[in-house]
Amino acid sequence: MNAQQLYESLKKIQEPKGYYFNDDMTMTMPLMESLLTNKERFGYMACPCRLANGTFEADKDIVCPCEYREADVQEFGACFCGLYVSKAWLEKKIERVVVPERRPVEKILW
């Protein structure tokens, strides 16, 4: 599978749930490539914007889509990476802001 195929596959699954991909393809496609790299490296698609531990049990909260995505998109219109966004964010109906890290520090500092 390549990045474009992953994009198309995930788009079909996520859009009906209200999660859209960022329309800035210079950012979105490298993130897709990084997800594939992490799948090859770890066996799962760890969030490319966070440092993975390398064990599924330690990283399961950051397997894309991470468990923080829903709250991030609801509150800020985008996830931490900016990969997944809301329709309002895409349509520029809400302010685009930097999304703060929601992952607990004890999971970051393993």
Side-chain angles (χ1 to χ4, degrees):
M1 178 176 286
N2 65 34
Q4 185 63 43
Q5 291 168 322
L6 179 62
Y7 174 87
E8 294 298 331
S9 175
L10 292 175
K11 183 176 179 177
K12 289 177 190 173
I13 296 167
Q14 299 301 326
E15 282 191 1
K17 297 177 184 179
Y19 298 101
Y20 300 85
F21 285 124
N22 191 319
D23 56 356
D24 179 355
M25 290 301 155
T26 64
M27 186 183 92
T28 297
M29 294 316 287
L31 287 172
M32 290 290 155
E33 291 167 9
S34 294
L35 285 170
L36 291 171
T37 298
N38 284 346
K39 179 149 175 80
E40 186 176 311
R41 182 180 296 150
F42 304 122
Y44 50 91
M45 292 192 299
C47 173
C49 299
R50 294 177 167 110
L51 185 59
N53 176 294
T55 63
F56 180 79
E57 193 58 35
D59 294 337
K60 66 183 177 183
D61 64 315
I62 60 167
V63 173
C64 190
C66 74
E67 69 179 49
Y68 311 105
R69 177 188 71 170
E70 184 177 347
D72 285 350
V73 172
Q74 185 173 28
E75 186 174 348
F76 301 104
C79 70
F80 179 69
C81 291
L83 178 62
Y84 285 105
V85 300
S86 67
K87 190 169 187 170
W89 189 95
L90 273 180
E91 295 172 349
K92 299 181 180 171
K93 292 181 178 176
I94 60 173
E95 183 182 1
R96 295 181 177 189
V97 298
V98 174
V99 179
E101 175 63 273
R102 202 178 284 270
R103 192 175 196 212
V105 69
E106 61 270 12
K107 290 191 175 202
I108 297 170
L109 302 174
W110 37 265

